[in-house]
Amino acid sequence: MAKKNIFTDAFGNLYFLKRLIIFVLGMISYRRFNGFNKLIISGTENLVDLPDSNVLFVSNHQTYFADVAAMYHAFCSVNNGYLNSIKNPIYLLNPKVDFYYVAAEETMNKGLLSRIFKLAGAITVKRTWRAEGHNVNRMVDLTEVENIMKALDNGWVITFPQGTTSAFAQGRKGTAKLIKNQKPIVIPIKINGFRRAFDKKGLKIKVTGVKPTMEFKKPLDIDYENDNSQAILEKIMYSIEQSDCFNVLHEYETELKAKKADCKTEKLP
């Protein structure tokens, strides 16, 4: 697999261009996370002693771009010794550049701004179950899997195992299979409040005064030899608080259905 060097990352992207893009986008987005809305970060002490490569971050997803932008701020801040804070944007002068994120190809190819975001470190993949608003059923592109593995061999990677911004959507086994094969350190991230503060794309501010949260949890305890893909996926979904046991609305709907069923039973002669 390809390796980074002093001039380019693992995919041949020039470091000086990535640094420039991260700096410019970071300055533009800074007030969104430490001005109009105050991002509350916790758990970044769990990132301090991580190796420079083969670290996979798994997170729930609430907007297309604001989630990742906030993570860039957090990673760059930690890279410069600031824990649980993005108050000093000087960290943007020394960004973490060997950082990549998995994103849907159709999202990253729409418009000039999306293409600029792509240069900052996107690994694009084609969804196997949905494309352009329609359900599909297609095979996994092995080249895309190789690209994710290449990124892990050379840095940190963030992925969203649900593959959608819908809350409590089912996780995809592809992430678990990748973890089983690559054996990375897996760090869960739990975010909240982004959906309320920003529009679906994460480009426009819907409400000010919101305090979105981003919690970096301890590495998952995974038995890479004995845990199968389903067990790994269940650990991921629980850690990012997207399993059914965290879905209060789901519990309410289940109770409501049960009550309706009891009422129908009582009315029967």
Side-chain angles (χ1 to χ4, degrees):
M1 289 188 178
K3 291 288 184 179
K4 61 187 178 182
N5 57 53
I6 60 173
F7 300 109
T8 63
D9 68 9
F11 298 94
N13 299 311
L14 293 170
Y15 276 137
F16 87 86
L17 182 58
K18 288 185 72 172
R19 290 177 183 275
L20 178 62
I21 291 173
I22 293 171
F23 175 78
V24 173
L25 294 179
M27 291 303 296
I28 292 173
S29 62
Y30 180 72
R31 289 198 66 199
R32 293 167 177 260
F33 303 117
N34 197 42
F36 300 113
N37 297 296
K38 296 284 188 180
L39 177 65
I40 299 175
I41 305 173
S42 61
T44 54
E45 60 273 9
N46 295 318
L47 312 184
V48 174
D49 295 323
L50 292 176
D52 293 330
S53 63
N54 208 32
V55 179
L56 182 69
F57 294 86
V58 292
S59 176
N60 61 315
H61 202 17
Q62 294 194 339
T63 71
Y64 291 168
F65 299 114
D67 308 6
V68 174
M71 290 173 191
Y72 264 100
H73 279 282
F75 287 131
C76 292
S77 184
V78 172
N79 193 50
N80 287 271
Y82 303 108
L83 299 183
N84 299 327
S85 173
I86 59 168
K87 290 182 179 179
N88 191 348
I90 195 173
Y91 56 74
L92 291 171
L93 293 173
N94 181 35
K96 184 171 183 60
V97 288
D98 290 313
F99 168 69
Y100 307 90
Y101 61 97
V102 180
E105 185 179 77
E106 63 180 89
T107 300
M108 302 311 297
N109 289 333
K110 291 181 179 179
L112 178 61
L113 189 58
S114 296
R115 294 177 186 273
I116 293 174
F117 286 151
K118 186 176 178 179
L119 291 173
I123 307 168
T124 58
V125 297
K126 294 182 288 291
R127 292 192 185 104
T128 57
W129 69 96
R130 194 160 180 82
E132 298 181 355
H134 302 286
N135 292 330
V136 298
N137 185 14
R138 56 190 174 197
M139 298 293 291
V140 174
D141 188 336
L142 295 180
T143 302
E144 296 171 350
V145 177
E146 290 177 0
N147 285 338
I148 298 174
M149 293 173 66
K150 182 193 296 185
L152 281 169
D153 282 338
N154 290 275
W156 293 359
V157 176
I158 172 71
T159 188
F160 303 96
Q162 293 166 289
T164 175
T165 56
S166 299
F168 301 105
Q170 70 177 30
R172 300 290 165 177
K173 279 191 176 180
T175 299
K177 290 178 180 178
L178 176 71
I179 292 170
K180 179 76 173 176
N181 292 331
Q182 187 73 9
K183 298 179 175 58
I185 295 173
V186 181
I187 305 290
I189 306 174
K190 172 64 173 66
I191 65 170
N192 196 23
F194 287 80
R195 186 178 287 111
R196 181 166 177 257
F198 306 99
D199 68 339
K200 186 172 183 178
K201 289 185 176 181
L203 299 176
K204 297 179 181 179
I205 297 173
K206 284 199 307 186
V207 182
T208 59
V210 178
K211 293 183 178 180
T213 61
M214 180 176 293
E215 179 186 0
F216 294 88
K217 299 187 177 182
K218 293 181 179 180
L220 282 184
D221 182 12
I222 299 174
D223 184 340
Y224 292 108
E225 300 303 323
N226 298 312
D227 285 349
N228 60 25
S229 297
Q230 182 60 37
I232 293 173
L233 182 61
E234 289 174 0
K235 288 182 179 182
I236 291 171
M237 298 306 290
Y238 184 83
S239 68
I240 63 175
E241 300 181 21
Q242 290 296 295
S243 54
D244 284 341
C245 61
F246 291 98
N247 190 348
V248 178
L249 182 59
H250 175 73
E251 292 178 359
Y252 172 76
E253 290 175 345
T254 302
E255 290 177 1
L256 190 61
K257 287 179 181 179
K259 287 180 180 179
K260 287 181 178 180
D262 290 340
C263 289
K264 289 181 181 179
T265 303
E266 291 175 0
K267 291 180 179 179
L268 291 175

